[in-house]
Amino acid sequence: MADISTTWMGLDLRSPVIAASSTLTGSVDNVVEAARCGAGAVVLKSLFEEEILMESAENLAGNEQRFWYGQAEDYIREYSRGDALNRYLALIQECSDAVSVPVIASINCVTSGEWVSFAREMEGAGAAGLEVNIFVPPSDTSRTGAENEQIYFDVLERVTRSVHIPVAAKISSYFSSMSETAGRLSRSGIGGMVLFNRFFSPDIDIETFALKAGPVFSTAGDLYQSLRWIAMLSGRTGCDLAASTGVHDGESLIKQLLAGAKAVEVASVLYRKGFEEIRIMLGELEDYMDRHGFARLDEFIGRMAMGAVQNPAGYERVQFMKHFSNIS
Ligand SMILES: Cc1cc2nc3c(=O)[nH]c(=O)nc-3n(C[C@H](O)[C@H](O)[C@H](O)COP(=O)(O)O)c2cc1C
């Protein structure tokens, strides 16, 4: 029987499929279900910095006497922060008690503010690791790429300094020099990098002229950007890589492992098909390993990475020249 255990940023995982951070992983019952279906780890839904700020604002708006004195505002703001954090710490603790697989806490940062110290409390609540989901939208016309990128380094430096558990950075592909930035990020003290996060996309209702939400879930066709970058960065960074976005079945899981991922993080397929899909994906992985005579994952993780294939330029090719696109 093939051994499908792996390691991810120093954590031992019994399988390479991680239930990604989402609203699904915001309840103890679902975390237990993910573990029952074979997940190697679970990343809890994120504690969003913006959510904490909004909650503070709502509490302030609902308080008619908010002009009493400035300290009252400070108190409400602190209370809201504490309330959101305490709920989150309770979730970490209950999930960690309920399952034997690593429970990874997740924080979403938009600044490197004081609240980064929450990371220490998450560690204290029993989190086995911490995933920092950072995205600085490159939409401010007055800010340079270097200024935006500095925020990532500030956040990661502060978080990794404040905890002893391994920290992963979950990033987007919005970097002008992806390889160089990813290389520097990977050496900033983190244990892993997750490529890539999936974002809310705004859409337009052409009849009502209103903004609406674009498709929330990924499709299987969304795999390829992450696959390319896992393959291009594998073996060239100072930390482990995990793949996220578009992994919908056993075949795409195997592709990401071949490209160099130590694990994959899945969300959309769990919303669409349920946690049982993890078991099906792992069964497909075991069948594949048996067919190819692989006893362990490390016998083929990275076998198709850019540095390992005979035609590495294939990963850098981006234009649909007729010769390469199989279109007549
Ligand atoms: C409904 C939904 C909620 C999500 N919430 C979070 C979140 O709280 N924190 C986070 O880091 N990622 C979040 N994600 C991103 C997922 O963790 C995952 O990285 C992304 O969806 C790509 O994987 P997929 O193609 O398997 O969906 C969310 C995704 C979805 C679809």
Side-chain angles (χ1 to χ4, degrees):
M1 187 73 172
D3 175 1
I4 58 167
S5 64
T6 187
T7 55
W8 163 235
M9 57 172 181
L11 299 172
D12 291 323
L13 309 192
R14 66 181 179 179
S15 88
V17 177
I18 298 173
S21 178
S22 77
T23 42
L24 281 181
T25 57
S27 83
V28 183
D29 287 351
N30 281 351
V31 169
V32 168
E33 184 62 4
R36 193 186 67 78
C37 292
V42 177
V43 186
L44 299 180
K45 71 160 191 176
S46 296
L47 179 64
F48 283 91
E49 182 183 8
E50 281 171 305
E51 212 164 37
I52 294 174
L53 296 177
M54 271 163 63
E55 207 169 299
S56 307
E58 271 167 27
N59 283 344
L60 284 169
N63 187 331
E64 287 166 10
Q65 279 130 4
R66 73 183 199 275
F67 296 116
W68 275 358
Y69 53 94
Q71 275 174 334
E73 276 202 31
D74 290 346
Y75 173 76
I76 290 170
R77 204 164 271 129
E78 274 310 306
Y79 168 80
S80 305
R81 284 170 161 224
D83 201 33
L85 177 64
N86 287 339
R87 284 197 306 269
Y88 198 75
L89 295 177
L91 179 69
I92 295 172
Q93 203 156 20
E94 285 171 39
C95 291
S96 305
D97 289 346
V99 298
S100 57
V101 300
V103 171
I104 298 170
S106 168
I107 44 181
N108 172 274
C109 310
V110 287
T111 67
S112 62
E114 200 44 51
W115 70 278
V116 169
S117 61
F118 291 176
R120 206 174 299 125
E121 296 192 56
M122 293 180 184
E123 178 176 30
L130 193 59
E131 189 173 276
V132 184
N133 158 358
I134 328 177
F135 180 53
V136 181
S139 51
D140 184 336
T141 53
S142 66
R143 287 178 66 84
T144 65
E147 284 172 323
N148 285 335
E149 280 173 18
Q150 192 53 46
I151 297 173
Y152 292 76
F153 290 97
D154 291 346
V155 168
L156 292 176
E157 194 194 332
R158 295 191 62 185
V159 173
T160 51
R161 256 198 287 133
S162 52
V163 294
H164 299 100
I165 51 177
V167 175
K170 186 177 190 185
I171 59 171
S172 76
S173 58
Y174 284 75
F175 293 104
S176 57
S177 186
M178 184 68 202
S179 295
E180 192 273 341
T181 306
R184 275 193 300 134
L185 284 173
S186 75
R187 287 182 281 276
S188 67
I190 59 175
M193 215 161 22
V194 184
L195 314 178
F196 293 110
N197 202 354
R198 174 177 170 78
F199 299 104
F200 168 87
S201 294
D203 192 7
I204 293 173
D205 185 319
I206 62 170
E207 299 305 329
T208 63
F209 309 101
L211 275 184
K212 58 178 187 175
V216 174
F217 301 124
S218 67
T219 66
D222 292 328
L223 175 77
Y224 300 98
Q225 192 182 34
S226 162
L227 186 68
R228 179 202 295 264
W229 282 104
I230 292 283
M232 298 229 292
L233 293 175
S234 174
R236 298 166 70 202
T237 58
C239 70
D240 287 345
L241 300 176
S244 190
T245 300
V247 178
H248 282 226
D249 53 22
E251 185 177 346
S252 47
L253 158 66
I254 294 161
K255 287 180 185 179
Q256 290 287 18
L257 296 172
L258 285 167
K262 302 291 285 291
V264 300
E265 295 193 355
V266 297
S268 294
V269 74
L270 304 182
Y271 279 97
R272 289 194 184 283
K273 297 186 175 171
F275 288 104
E276 275 297 334
E277 203 57 25
I278 297 175
R279 205 188 291 288
I280 294 169
M281 290 166 78
L282 295 176
E284 288 168 4
L285 172 63
E286 284 167 347
D287 287 349
Y288 173 81
M289 290 173 71
D290 287 345
R291 259 188 298 122
H292 287 269
F294 296 132
R296 296 187 319 276
L297 294 186
D298 60 13
E299 291 172 14
F300 68 99
I301 283 180
R303 183 171 171 157
M304 294 299 293
M306 192 178 183
V309 295
Q310 286 192 341
N311 178 23
Y315 283 120
E316 288 188 289
R317 187 160 292 131
V318 289
Q319 304 299 347
F320 285 113
M321 282 190 296
K322 189 176 165 188
H323 178 66
F324 299 116
S325 55
N326 298 331
I327 297 172
S328 50

